[in-house]
Amino acid sequence: MAAEIVNPRSDRSTDSSTGSTGSATDEPFDPAFALHRGGKMAVQATVPIRDKDDLSLAYTPGVAKVCSAIAENPELVHDYTWKSQVVAVVTDGTAVLGLGDIGPEASLPVMEGKAILFKQFGGVDAVPIALATTDADEIVETVVRLAPSFGGVNLEDISAPRCFEIERRLQERLDIPVFHDDQHGTAVVTLAALRNAAKLSGRSLGDLRAVISGAGAAGVAIAKFLLEAGLGDVAVADRKGIVSRDREDLTEVKRELAELTNKAGISGPLDTALAGADVFIGVSGGTVPEPAVASMAPGAFVFAMANPNPEVHPDIAHKYAAVVATGRSDYPNQINNVLAFPGIFAGALQVRASRITEGMKIAAATALADVVGDELAADYVIPSPFDERVAPAVTAAVAAAARAEGVARR
């Protein structure tokens, strides 16, 4: 199967009199709807079926020989099927982009988009799977039963805190990589950008104190990952303020987070934590007042990644920060998960890794940061998703790390 980016006007009816796509209404032409009509991907054969000889090899009777061989030696499935080259992109539609719980059908355009990004940027085939359940047990059992067809599982747009449990349970039961991109992809790209921002300012990660706005999937994962990579300290804020040990309203996930973070023991609102902080990381969609940004340490970094409206508008951030990043493509330093997940899966699949480890993720972040090289500047701490060096660099680093950590099987 190959994910293809399809010409939105190819084989798709467009009513030129109204400007709409195949509609008799007076709605104006919308390129987003035009591109999505009929879906964004298709199945494509990798072998020819030109005559009866081809048919007899691709299907019966020739296919029976291959099936019998795999039955005798299950490991041959990796050599004679697409298993080791394809990822399941699984969602329940409960946390889709900034749209929230919109359901499995409405999530499909995003899952298709994810699949074509896998193919475009990592050469990895992917299949969108939207599940008609939000029950954690049912999701786990369904994915476990689907797993024989896939080399990896990319969990996508599943709301917290269920996403943490689902990922953990699936990785415990499966011997293929399970990766929740909303958590780990965001964390990898954030670390890469932060490494380069620190390098640009002559500091190390250990010199920095960060504040994260948002204690959902991305916020929790970023906090843990940055600490694993050597960050000095990080405080995480949710809607009720800083996650701290003295709060009695914390979930189990946030209680664990409180034990790992906020060494300074800060409590109260986000603004309090920002005073004197070196780094702001926004994954919440809220708005940070300008005085709070102004209270940060000199030479601070502002990574306001909410889309389409960053927590701190870049014009305001640039007044006070040495490095500014967003999640948007129309500003420099876009923190975009597509920089990470295609290469991470490509590297893991290349060596048939049984899981994606912290070491593999750190290797991905380091490789991504190193792509910038001597071009490092305040408006270039992270490469573009269209930089052709990115995926090969991440793929190679992840494959090498998998071998070094003993999770590679070839």
Side-chain angles (χ1 to χ4, degrees), residues 6-212:
V6 181
N7 184 328
R9 293 177 178 81
S10 176
D11 299 319
R12 303 177 186 210
S13 60
T14 301
D15 185 338
S16 59
S17 65
T18 64
S20 62
T21 53
S23 170
T25 71
D26 293 327
E27 292 295 321
F29 175 80
D30 188 322
F33 281 91
L35 183 140
H36 284 78
R37 180 171 290 279
K40 300 191 292 292
M41 55 189 295
V43 173
Q44 178 178 299
T46 60
V47 296
I49 309 292
R50 298 161 299 197
D51 51 37
K52 66 181 181 63
D53 292 333
D54 288 342
L55 181 59
S56 68
L57 288 173
Y59 200 54
T60 186
V63 72
K65 298 178 182 179
V66 180
C67 292
S68 298
I70 294 172
E72 292 179 10
N73 180 4
E75 284 300 303
L76 291 178
V77 70
H78 298 286
D79 298 314
Y80 294 108
T81 73
W82 74 342
K83 178 179 172 68
S84 286
Q85 304 170 60
V86 65
V87 171
V89 180
V90 179
T91 189
D92 64 358
T94 55
V96 181
L97 298 178
L99 303 174
D101 186 355
I102 60 175
E105 290 85 0
S107 76
L108 269 176
V110 177
M111 300 311 116
E112 287 183 2
K114 199 79 175 188
I116 65 174
L117 295 180
F118 264 111
K119 188 67 174 182
Q120 180 78 17
F121 294 100
V124 174
D125 287 318
V127 177
I129 298 175
L131 302 178
T133 179
T134 61
D135 181 83
D137 291 339
E138 291 183 355
I139 292 172
V140 169
E141 291 303 322
T142 301
V143 175
V144 167
R145 283 161 173 73
L146 290 170
S149 295
F150 298 98
V153 175
N154 182 94
L155 299 174
E156 190 74 20
D157 292 349
I158 299 174
S159 63
R162 293 173 312 116
C163 59
F164 304 112
E165 176 193 355
I166 290 168
E167 182 188 43
R168 175 184 56 78
R169 288 171 60 187
L170 283 173
Q171 192 60 85
E172 288 173 353
R173 293 185 60 179
L174 299 177
D175 65 347
I176 57 175
V178 178
F179 186 84
H180 185 210
D181 187 51
D182 302 313
Q183 295 183 59
H184 310 301
T186 309
V188 165
V189 183
T190 301
L191 174 58
L194 189 56
R195 280 192 185 280
N196 276 340
K199 181 180 179 181
L200 186 66
S201 66
R203 288 177 283 179
S204 69
L205 289 178
D207 298 326
L208 305 176
R209 178 172 72 84
V211 177
I212 297 175

Side-chain angles (χ1 to χ4, degrees), residues 117-123 338-347 350 367-368 371 383-398:
L117 295 180
F118 264 111
K119 188 67 174 182
Q120 180 78 17
F121 294 100
V338 77
L339 288 162
F341 69 82
I344 289 174
F345 267 101
Q350 185 180 97
L368 185 53
V371 167
S384 162
F386 296 98
D387 188 324
E388 294 181 355
R389 300 171 295 174
V390 168
V394 174
T395 298
V398 168

